[in-house]
Amino acid sequence: MGKRWVMEMSPQEARRFKLRRHNSRPKTRLDNLPEDVIQKILSRLPLKEVVQISTLSSGWRHVWRYHPDLIFSVEKLFDGKDKGGQEFVTSVNDVLKDHYCTAVNKFKVNYGLSEEHGDDLDEWLHFAVLSKAKNVVLDLRPPPKCPDDVYNFPLHHFDDRNSSCVLSLRLVLVCLRPAPNFCGFTNLRSLKLHRVYVSKDLHCMLPYCAALEWLSLTDCFMPSFTMSEPLDHLQYACIQNCSLQSMELHAPNLTVFEYSEQDVPIVLGKFHKLTKAKIEVLSDSDNLGYTFSHLVRAMPNAEEISLRIHIQNEARQFMTDSRCDFINLRHLNIEVLVDRDPGCSSGILRLASLLELTPSLEVFNLHVLFNSSLRYNGGGDATKTSGHKLRHLKRVYMSGFADPRGQLELAWYILQHATALERMVIDPDVKTRFGSHRAVEGGQLFQDLLAKYLLLPRFPEVLTVLRAPPPGHQ
């Protein structure tokens, strides 16, 4: 009966009826919500917006002071418009003096400050310690004009009592001076250092980070990295471009390892659980032997390895201990920079010996970069192999062909020995070390060698040869 009555009302009467029903509903004011619920709602908003919202209600006036994420950057404080270093410092100080300093989740400063602002930075980090911040980030980019003005990070604030709440620490453009008596960061899970000046070594600091799971050192300035004591919980390690003179690392439970350094003396414990590695040797000398004797040898259980190495064509042999087979390796990516010797082209063929050490390999990707103009004045003796079958190799992709004869002979070797091969792709596109592309010079030579080694009746079902881009292609 009620529905029929509503249907018979005029449009004006129906609108007035709906308005009366809406106004008669009980109102739920956010002011009436429990304080902890309000804090959870506001904690999902940026600090600046929470400060603005707090002006809408007298009951919310102080709620922003409990905000768990204190992120100070030009974007957060000034909407992306930089007002200068002093204005930035003043704004941070204004926020911190009114914050209640309890249960901070993330404390981050991202601004180009230096030792000139050391007193303020010290106070901010002391606040982070007192507020039991779990995640601390100090990113002081861009760098100061003088390297001597880099801020000295106050490790003394983080003693064994005050630092127990810190779970992750990321430092960018600071100076780190670990003291022999430092024993903090007992619960630290993640440590990331980028462009950090380390006065001595981290061996005074890392042994007391027994819970460390993630370690990243990139573009740092440190003479060495020495960890003779094992980091039992470390699962990920990245060490890149730190100009090390020596390195020692023991991490039995490491699963992912990224390493990019010169061919320096190195001591690695057995990475028994490591499954994935990315390695780049920055030396200009031939470093195939060094890579496998000193680096890959410590990864007997690795399933996927990516390499960027340097090869000289006059190096004809690749010798390794026959007991160092990589029996679990299934995916191998290699980027090779070749120094050419016009009288020899056998250097790249040493990879055939390498393939025989990987009996479980399923995927092999090879890209060759050239380091000088492409010429070919003859050949050299191919590396002798044992003739073992590559019984699990299924997919091969080869590109670059800075050394067409050596690379095509390697492809020929694979086609002969990979009994389970499903597909091989030959891509003659050459990418130089400077990033530009061009077709293989001496195209007729490439075609002649291709016909000689690969274009045989038995291979068309697995072999795909891509067309090279036209000269001048970018």
Side-chain angles (χ1 to χ4, degrees):
M1 188 67 178
K3 292 183 179 179
R4 181 178 179 184
W5 173 72
V6 172
M7 293 175 64
E8 292 176 351
M9 286 192 300
S10 66
Q12 293 81 4
E13 292 174 331
R15 284 196 295 269
R16 287 195 296 270
F17 174 74
K18 291 180 180 179
L19 184 60
R20 285 196 301 270
R21 288 190 61 188
H22 176 75
N23 292 334
S24 64
R25 294 174 181 172
K27 296 181 178 179
T28 301
R29 293 177 56 85
L30 292 179
D31 288 347
N32 298 330
L33 293 175
E35 185 174 333
D36 60 334
V37 175
I38 296 176
Q39 290 182 16
K40 288 182 180 179
I41 294 174
L42 297 183
S43 68
R44 299 179 181 275
L45 299 175
L47 176 61
K48 184 176 181 180
E49 294 182 13
V50 174
V51 174
Q52 294 172 346
I53 293 175
S54 66
T55 62
L56 300 178
S57 169
S58 59
W60 293 5
R61 185 173 300 166
H62 303 294
V63 171
W64 72 269
R65 298 181 180 180
Y66 294 96
H67 198 279
D69 292 331
L70 297 176
I71 302 177
F72 302 109
S73 65
V74 172
E75 291 73 22
K76 297 296 183 181
L77 293 179
F78 308 133
D79 293 325
K81 299 178 181 179
D82 193 354
K83 297 183 179 181
Q86 188 55 50
E87 184 70 21
F88 181 87
V89 171
T90 301
S91 298
V92 175
N93 286 333
D94 288 344
V95 173
L96 296 185
K97 73 179 181 180
D98 291 327
H99 197 277
Y100 284 156
C101 191
T102 56
V104 171
N105 175 58
K106 186 171 186 178
F107 184 90
K108 178 179 180 179
V109 176
N110 185 190
Y111 195 83
L113 301 176
S114 63
E115 186 63 24
E116 176 185 355
H117 309 93
D119 291 340
D120 291 296
L121 287 165
D122 285 353
E123 288 297 324
W124 300 349
L125 290 169
H126 185 58
F127 175 93
V129 169
L130 293 179
S131 63
K132 302 185 184 302
K134 296 179 181 178
N135 306 286
V136 178
V137 178
L138 188 62
D139 187 342
L140 302 185
R141 288 177 291 186
K145 295 181 180 179
C146 178
D148 294 336
D149 294 335
V150 173
Y151 172 65
N152 285 279
F153 187 81
L155 276 174
H156 59 275
H157 284 340
F158 297 85
D159 59 27
D160 54 347
R161 293 171 300 175
N162 293 334
S163 69
S164 59
C165 292
V166 180
L167 301 181
S168 72
L169 177 65
R170 183 170 184 263
L171 303 178
V172 181
L173 266 174
V174 304
C175 184
L176 201 60
R177 303 178 185 277
N181 59 348
F182 178 77
C183 54
F185 302 117
T186 53
N187 292 312
L188 191 68
R189 303 287 193 275
S190 173
L191 176 64
K192 300 179 182 179
L193 305 181
H194 178 67
R195 299 186 68 180
V196 171
Y197 300 79
V198 182
S199 61
K200 297 180 180 179
D201 197 347
L202 295 175
H203 69 272
C204 297
M205 173 178 167
L206 291 184
Y208 299 99
C209 302
L212 194 64
E213 299 174 355
W214 183 290
L215 175 64
S216 176
L217 310 174
T218 58
D219 297 322
C220 293
F221 302 88
M222 50 195 302
S224 63
F225 178 81
T226 305
M227 273 304 303
S228 55
E229 299 180 24
L231 296 173
D232 291 329
H233 293 277
L234 192 65
Q235 299 177 19
Y236 172 89
C238 175
I239 302 175
Q240 295 182 346
N241 304 316
C242 294
S243 302
L244 297 179
Q245 299 176 9
S246 63
M247 176 186 164
E248 181 174 357
L249 175 63
H250 299 270
N253 293 306
L254 196 70
T255 58
V256 179
F257 182 51
E258 297 185 17
Y259 181 79
S260 178
E261 290 291 336
Q262 298 285 339
D263 51 351
V264 299
I266 186 169
V267 177
L268 295 176
K270 291 293 184 180
F271 298 154
H272 297 291
K273 295 187 178 181
L274 188 126
T275 58
K276 187 175 182 179
K278 183 178 181 180
I279 296 171
E280 178 180 9
V281 183
L282 301 177
S283 172
D284 288 337
S285 60
D286 187 282
N287 46 56
L288 179 63
Y290 167 85
T291 301
F292 282 87
S293 299
H294 293 80
L295 295 171
V296 181
R297 188 173 183 176
M299 311 168 190
N301 298 316
E303 297 179 3
E304 180 177 349
I305 295 180
S306 297
L307 305 174
R308 194 175 194 275
I309 57 178
H310 196 283
I311 284 181
Q312 291 181 345
N313 257 349
E314 64 269 19
R316 297 167 179 260
Q317 293 183 347
F318 170 63
M319 301 298 293
T320 185
D321 191 335
S322 60
R323 295 171 296 177
C324 294
D325 290 2
F326 310 106
I327 59 175
N328 294 313
L329 188 60
R330 288 172 171 77
H331 199 140
L332 178 61
N333 302 305
I334 302 182
E335 189 175 275
V336 177
L337 179 62
V338 179
D339 265 343
R340 293 195 54 77
D341 176 359
C344 176
S345 69
S346 63
I348 201 73
L349 291 178
R350 289 180 296 158
L351 296 179
S353 298
L354 171 61
L355 292 178
E356 292 193 344
L357 301 177
T358 59
S360 301
L361 191 67
E362 297 177 0
V363 179
F364 176 54
N365 297 322
L366 173 66
H367 182 67
V368 180
L369 305 169
F370 62 87
N371 199 29
S372 59
S373 61
L374 181 63
R375 292 178 292 171
Y376 175 67
N377 295 331
D381 296 332
T383 300
K384 293 182 179 180
T385 63
S386 62
H388 292 165
K389 297 297 182 181
L390 309 175
R391 301 187 185 279
H392 296 276
L393 189 59
K394 297 178 180 179
R395 298 187 301 277
V396 176
Y397 176 84
M398 301 177 67
S399 64
F401 290 87
D403 176 10
R405 185 175 188 272
Q407 205 165 345
L408 287 174
E409 285 190 6
L410 179 62
W412 166 253
Y413 164 81
I414 293 174
L415 286 169
Q416 285 185 311
H417 293 81
T419 57
L421 190 65
E422 297 174 355
R423 188 181 186 192
M424 172 185 285
V425 176
I426 300 294
D427 185 357
D429 181 23
V430 174
K431 182 179 181 182
T432 71
R433 66 187 304 180
F434 304 106
S436 62
H437 291 258
R438 62 177 173 82
V440 174
E441 296 179 13
Q444 188 58 48
L445 167 64
F446 178 81
Q447 294 298 329
D448 292 345
L449 292 172
L450 186 66
K452 175 182 178 182
Y453 291 108
L454 304 181
L455 297 185
L456 298 177
R458 55 181 293 196
F459 296 139
E461 65 273 13
V462 298
L463 181 63
T464 300
V465 181
L466 303 181
R467 293 184 61 183
H473 173 74
Q474 297 293 329

